[in-house]
Amino acid sequence: MLLKELISLPIYANAKVVAGHDGMTNSVQSVNIMDAPDIIHYLKPQELLLTTGYAMKDNPEALLSLVTNMAKVGCAGLAIKTKRFLLEVPKDVIERAEQLQFPIIELSLEQSLGDISNYSLSHILEKRTDELHYALTTHKQFSQMIMQGKSTEDVIEALAILIDSPVMLMNQQADLLFRSSSMTEELYHLMNELHAELVTPTLQSSMTIPLPSQPFAGTPYSAAELHPIVTFQLEGCLIALTSDISKQYGNLTKHAMEQAANVIGLELMKKQAVKERSRRYKNEFFSDFVDGLITSEQELLHRSKNYDLLNHPVYICVVAKRDTSFDLLRPSSALESDGRFISERDRHYNLLKSEFSKLDLRFVLFTKNEYFCFLIAMQTSQDLTEGKGSRFLEQLKQMVSGLSEAHGIPISVGIGNPVSKLPDIPLSYKEAVEALQTGYDARKKQFVQPYRAKNFNNLLRMIPKEELREYYEETFKDMLSIEGKERSDLLKTLSTFYETHCQLAETAKLLFVHRNTVTYRLEKCERLTGRDLRDPVESLRFRTAFSMESLFLAD
């Protein structure tokens, strides 16, 4: 209860506040009696101290130090029985109390400190009992509403009627979810100006914030009471308006808001559990699907119908992954039990779904391992991934950029090739994963990578460079021992000879030399390598060696 409420009791009839009037709204949770100089070590926040001043009658400085330290601890106030050991409270103590807004109360001699303490504690406990009973009754009322099928909006309206104040519920992004009928359109628009202050990721307990005199000058409200809604993460907060910030909106009102927040939090957890179960069912189906474990076409068609995937001419898979995983330093076995991990992954899922919805495409989103997978059903295959001006590619790039800039989520995207049949979707998925990995192998970040079929050089890159060099040197043997221009001419002539499909005249034309010069050089190549240049097997070997040259010489 508030200190000013406590001293309004009959037992404090002749008490007088001599300093710290601004602190009379301090909360009092307990009462203590002191007659020892070291009492400060035993005091607690929100505690009222009763004393005769005996321990400080010959040491006024001790009283000044006591007041300073009690204000620092957060005590509710100091009540001194004057006219006994201390004739009056020293002026310097009163001045310090005024500076600290710390209440000092003079008690009369009529009542003993024991009687005052017992009476005060009895009244505090009685009020706490009433508050507890009120909280239990309120919780029961809101719980019954939910059990009867009432909505969260109905709970908000009931809370507004109970506390006789406008109430609204906002999510973590300060977007309005519900508001009571007393929260008029005008009041709501005025509250919009306080979005940054109303909901923050660090909101952990209830708090009161003053409302600016402008633009609320025309309303009776001067403060907003905030109470967080928490499940395994901060979901948002309840906000109620109050007209008197000095009362801090009253304990009973705070209890009502707390119980409403608890019931709404439980309802959100229930809905989240239902959503998670549905999502898990979807993830398991599509994970088995893209892994090729669903072999029955009838089962595939039946289950795909639930996601509106039938009768589309084109399907394509897109796979997204966060570039730098936040769980790298933790064992995978701990991930599923880590609420923080689940919360963060769920946030990424919702943001990706929201951003992808802006592309105006029909899609299904599911998760598989560390991937967020989009299965897209389209009406045409044109302008999907071909060309630098592809609208689809540009949209995905904008999405990747937006997620990084607006939400601090660095993701990359791999895109599979379009397929025309539902059973071929696993192929597009594997291509998307491979495209994503190709981008990571190239040490890219925040990229959009379409699938490209591997060419011959892609396959050669999979061979260690030492083996490439060994194969190259074995193929050209003694040719590589020749120094200078002659070796260059021989290799250039041989390479051009194979590029022109073994046409002597065309080779001579491209090299700007006589045909006989080409014949001479090719014969010398045969002597040095000991290989027939026109033999198909040897021809393949030479072509392969020339392709290898650029790979290991690049370093």
Side-chain angles (χ1 to χ4, degrees):
M1 64 186 304
L2 302 183
L3 180 57
K4 66 179 182 179
E5 295 174 343
L6 181 64
I7 66 168
S8 66
L9 299 177
I11 201 167
Y12 290 93
N14 296 318
K16 178 183 176 183
V17 180
V18 297
H21 293 79
D22 292 338
M24 293 303 293
T25 55
N26 290 347
S27 176
V28 182
Q29 298 294 329
S30 63
V31 178
N32 203 342
I33 299 177
M34 180 276 279
D35 267 323
D38 62 344
I39 188 63
I40 188 61
H41 302 296
Y42 304 97
L43 294 177
K44 300 176 182 178
Q46 300 182 347
E47 195 165 53
L48 175 65
L49 179 62
L50 309 179
T51 180
T52 62
Y54 176 79
M56 295 165 290
K57 64 186 176 86
D58 298 322
N59 187 9
E61 288 296 326
L63 181 59
L64 182 65
S65 175
L66 177 65
V67 168
T68 303
N69 290 326
M70 288 183 68
K72 187 182 298 185
V73 170
C75 296
L78 174 65
I80 304 177
K81 183 176 286 192
T82 56
K83 308 296 188 295
R84 188 171 183 188
F85 299 108
L86 285 176
L87 296 180
E88 62 180 9
V89 180
K91 289 184 178 180
D92 56 344
V93 175
I94 292 178
E95 290 175 359
R96 179 67 59 83
E98 288 290 351
Q99 293 174 359
L100 299 173
Q101 297 183 2
F102 181 76
I104 296 181
I105 304 162
E106 283 190 354
L107 300 175
S108 69
L109 297 175
E110 299 171 3
Q111 304 289 343
S112 69
L113 294 186
D115 289 342
I116 295 175
S117 175
N118 292 335
Y119 189 90
S120 300
L121 288 173
S122 176
H123 191 79
I124 291 173
L125 291 175
E126 183 179 343
K127 186 164 185 179
R128 284 187 181 177
T129 301
D130 291 340
E131 289 177 359
L132 179 59
H133 182 265
Y134 177 83
L136 292 174
T137 302
T138 305
H139 187 277
K140 182 177 180 181
Q141 175 187 344
F142 293 143
S143 298
Q144 286 178 341
M145 291 180 66
I146 295 298
M147 294 177 66
Q148 292 168 1
K150 301 291 185 180
S151 65
T152 301
E153 190 171 6
D154 294 325
V155 174
I156 297 296
E157 188 65 37
L159 174 63
I161 295 173
L162 183 64
I163 64 177
D164 192 24
S165 292
V167 179
M168 63 181 177
L169 175 64
M170 286 186 166
N171 63 16
Q172 190 176 358
Q173 289 73 43
D175 299 323
L176 178 68
L177 299 179
F178 305 107
R179 67 179 180 183
S180 65
S181 58
S182 55
M183 179 68 74
T184 62
E185 193 75 22
E186 179 185 3
L187 285 174
Y188 170 64
H189 285 305
L190 292 176
M191 295 297 289
N192 274 344
E193 301 183 16
L194 302 175
H195 271 187
E197 299 179 36
L198 294 179
V199 180
T200 64
T202 58
L203 182 65
Q204 298 296 328
S205 59
S206 60
M207 61 181 293
T208 304
I209 62 172
L211 299 177
S213 56
Q214 295 292 339
F216 287 88
T219 72
Y221 306 109
S222 57
E225 181 74 17
L226 279 63
H227 198 96
I229 307 268
V230 181
T231 54
F232 57 85
Q233 63 178 347
L234 178 65
E235 300 287 350
C237 74
L238 274 175
I239 303 172
L241 302 183
T242 176
S243 57
D244 187 1
I245 191 172
S246 65
K247 293 182 180 178
Q248 297 189 3
Y249 212 49
N251 283 340
L252 294 183
T253 298
K254 289 187 176 183
H255 284 309
M257 291 189 68
E258 180 179 5
Q259 299 312 314
N262 290 338
V263 170
I264 292 173
L266 291 173
E267 179 67 6
L268 290 176
M269 289 186 69
K270 184 184 74 173
K271 291 181 178 179
Q272 183 69 18
V274 173
K275 186 188 298 184
E276 278 295 323
R277 182 177 181 182
S278 175
R279 187 185 298 175
R280 188 180 298 112
Y281 180 79
K282 178 177 65 173
N283 290 341
E284 290 174 355
F285 164 60
F286 282 104
S287 181
D288 289 345
F289 177 24
V290 297
D291 283 342
L293 301 179
I294 300 179
T295 57
S296 169
E297 185 172 353
Q298 183 177 2
E299 180 185 0
L300 177 60
L301 293 175
H302 173 71
R303 298 179 69 175
S304 297
K305 185 178 180 180
N306 297 329
Y307 303 101
D308 196 19
L309 291 178
L310 300 181
N311 303 319
H312 291 279
V314 179
Y315 302 95
I316 187 171
C317 272
V318 173
V319 173
K321 181 179 180 291
R322 181 172 177 177
D323 285 348
T324 305
S325 180
F326 48 81
D327 57 298
L328 290 177
L329 300 179
R330 290 179 290 166
S332 58
S333 60
L335 295 180
E336 292 303 322
S337 60
D338 190 336
R340 196 157 55 97
F341 170 82
I342 297 172
S343 171
E344 190 74 2
R345 186 168 175 82
D346 191 62
R347 185 172 76 93
H348 294 169
Y349 181 96
N350 292 329
L351 285 173
L352 280 167
K353 185 176 181 179
S354 174
E355 290 297 320
F356 217 89
S357 298
K358 298 175 183 177
L359 306 184
D360 195 27
L361 297 172
R362 185 178 298 279
F363 69 93
V364 175
L365 171 61
F366 64 98
T367 58
K368 179 174 172 59
N369 300 325
E370 71 270 34
Y371 300 125
F372 297 93
C373 310
F374 296 88
L375 176 53
I376 308 169
M378 310 183 78
Q379 297 301 322
T380 175
S381 62
Q382 295 179 353
D383 192 39
L384 283 178
T385 60
E386 295 299 326
K388 293 184 178 179
S390 166
R391 182 170 177 269
F392 183 62
L393 282 179
E394 289 303 317
Q395 287 176 321
L396 291 180
K397 289 177 182 178
Q398 291 175 9
M399 182 187 76
V400 169
S401 176
L403 284 170
S404 176
E405 294 175 2
H407 305 286
I409 304 177
I411 68 162
S412 294
V413 174
I415 309 173
N417 285 326
V419 295
S420 57
K421 296 180 181 179
L422 200 62
D424 292 335
I425 286 176
L427 176 60
S428 182
Y429 167 78
K430 289 179 175 62
E431 291 174 343
V433 173
E434 190 171 332
L436 185 65
Q437 190 57 49
T438 299
Y440 283 130
D441 290 342
R443 298 186 177 182
K444 296 180 181 179
K445 291 182 178 180
Q446 299 182 45
F447 59 85
V448 176
Q449 179 69 50
Y451 175 78
R452 296 286 183 267
K454 286 186 172 64
N455 56 30
F456 186 61
N457 280 351
N458 292 133
L459 297 175
L460 291 178
R461 285 192 179 94
M462 301 174 67
I463 302 174
K465 291 184 179 180
E466 294 76 11
E467 295 188 19
L468 293 178
R469 187 184 297 275
E470 182 180 344
Y471 184 93
Y472 179 85
E473 292 175 349
E474 173 64 23
T475 299
F476 292 110
K477 289 186 177 177
D478 295 338
M479 286 179 63
L480 298 177
S481 62
I482 301 174
E483 299 292 338
K485 187 174 182 301
E486 183 180 5
R487 182 177 72 177
S488 175
D489 289 342
L490 290 176
L491 291 174
K492 180 65 175 175
T493 300
L494 185 57
S495 173
T496 306
F497 178 65
Y498 285 124
E499 289 175 1
T500 60
H501 305 288
C502 303
Q503 298 295 319
L504 289 176
E506 189 66 20
T507 303
K509 181 178 178 181
L510 291 177
L511 295 175
F512 301 103
V513 296
H514 194 274
R515 176 177 176 146
N516 291 341
T517 302
V518 173
T519 302
Y520 168 77
R521 291 177 179 175
L522 294 177
E523 289 176 351
K524 189 168 184 177
C525 288
E526 286 188 337
R527 290 197 307 272
L528 291 171
T529 61
R531 303 180 188 279
D532 183 358
L533 301 185
R534 295 183 182 273
D535 183 275
V537 175
E538 299 298 345
S539 172
L540 176 61
R541 183 182 183 95
F542 280 117
R543 292 172 186 270
T544 302
F546 278 122
S547 298
M548 291 177 175
E549 183 179 21
S550 61
L551 297 179
F552 64 79
L553 290 182
D555 293 341

